[in-house]
Amino acid sequence: DAMVIQNPRYQVTQFGKPVTLSCSQTLNHNVMYWYQQKSSQAPKLLFHYYDKDFNNEADTPDNFQSRRPNTSFCFLDIRSPGLGDAAMYLCATHRQGEYNEQFFGPGTRLTVL
Amino acid sequence: QKEVEQNSGPLSVPEGAIASLNCTYSDRGSQSFFWYRQYSGKSPELIMSIYSNGDKEDGRFTAQLNKASQYVSLLIRDSQPSDSATYLCAVRNYGQNFVFGPGTRLSVLP
């Protein structure tokens, strides 16, 4: 089945220790998104790729970076995680088109010690 | 002003009743509207999309859109305890961005 996969599902890191979260998709969608979601809040868009074009949200901290080496894979790098970065990180995909939906992966729960 | 607004709830309804969830948005140019269900600790799951004014039905779910009033709603008929979750309204306006509301927590009481 076509799907969005995120690894790992749970990640524990130490304060200041870099961490990388990964997302892959078999949907062949050309747009991929990274969201941060904290408890009882809406998903907050960090950035998205439209094909190879990177689009950063204005309020996304520099601590967050992303890479998309090919259509199928996208990575979220947190260079120096702080306690405030503990959250669920959601990857989503979308096929460009006015009436196409966005599909989410299962998420990665990040804990910062 | 928030772009997409929802009542945070919790909205409590008895089992078998109709649950009505509401969402308003600020951008009149919005074209696509979505309802996601999110269980605690899980990722959002798409349950309905609607693009034109009127009603769209899918099983026990009905989405309603009124672009003039900038209002979209979700009705859940014959509510079940398994429907207890947070319901996120999402609106797509410019480019590739989807804007989410804060979500409404629904509790269906057995």
Side-chain angles (χ1 to χ4, degrees):
Chain A
D1 290 339
M3 57 194 331
V4 182
I5 302 165
Q6 289 187 246
N7 284 304
R9 295 291 308 279
Y10 301 91
Q11 176 73 58
V12 180
T13 190
Q14 292 180 333
F15 182 94
K17 185 175 181 180
V19 66
T20 294
L21 310 181
S22 73
C23 177
S24 64
Q25 53 130 340
T26 59
L27 298 161
N28 203 32
H29 286 174
N30 60 330
V31 190
M32 293 186 77
Y33 305 79
W34 280 105
Y35 290 88
Q36 179 193 65
Q37 188 179 27
K38 297 185 177 181
S39 182
S40 302
Q41 297 183 19
K44 178 182 182 296
L45 181 64
L46 296 174
F47 24 60
H48 75 273
Y49 277 93
Y50 180 89
D51 293 323
K52 294 183 179 180
D53 292 334
F54 177 70
N55 298 271
N56 197 30
E57 292 300 296
D59 58 354
T60 298
D62 292 340
N63 197 28
F64 292 88
Q65 303 288 319
S66 186
R67 297 169 282 136
R68 188 180 187 186
N70 53 53
T71 299
S72 300
F73 285 86
C74 195
F75 299 96
L76 170 61
D77 301 309
I78 308 177
R79 296 194 294 189
S80 182
L83 298 179
D85 297 328
M88 174 78 88
Y89 289 87
L90 298 164
C91 174
T93 72
H94 167 67
R95 187 175 75 242
Q96 183 214 352
E98 189 173 358
Y99 301 118
N100 292 331
E101 298 95 349
Q102 186 179 60
F103 294 94
F104 284 86
T108 295
R109 170 73 64 188
L110 178 67
T111 300
V112 181
L113 301 178
Chain B
Q1 182 183 3
K2 292 184 180 178
E3 295 184 52
V4 179
E5 297 195 35
Q6 298 178 252
N7 289 327
S8 60
L11 172 66
S12 295
V13 299
E15 184 175 357
I18 296 175
S20 178
L21 305 166
N22 304 316
C23 172
T24 58
Y25 59 95
S26 60
D27 186 348
R28 283 195 171 276
S30 299
Q31 296 295 321
S32 309
F33 308 86
F34 308 90
W35 283 100
Y36 288 84
R37 178 176 62 200
Q38 187 173 28
Y39 292 113
S40 180
K42 303 294 186 182
S43 65
E45 172 193 9
L46 180 70
I47 53 172
M48 289 288 286
S49 58
I50 188 166
Y51 309 110
S52 54
N53 282 329
D55 295 358
K56 179 182 178 182
E57 186 175 320
D58 183 0
R60 296 187 295 113
F61 299 98
T62 299
Q64 298 174 317
L65 175 61
N66 184 325
K67 289 187 178 181
S69 300
Q70 295 174 244
Y71 175 89
V72 58
S73 66
L74 179 70
L75 300 177
I76 307 175
R77 289 181 299 281
D78 188 24
S79 296
Q80 301 298 309
S82 59
D83 294 326
S84 298
T86 296
Y87 289 80
L88 298 167
C89 173
V91 175
R92 184 176 169 208
N93 40 27
Y94 305 115
Q96 309 303 322
N97 280 5
F98 293 72
V99 181
F100 284 83
T104 297
R105 189 156 53 95
L106 173 66
S107 178
V108 180
L109 306 174

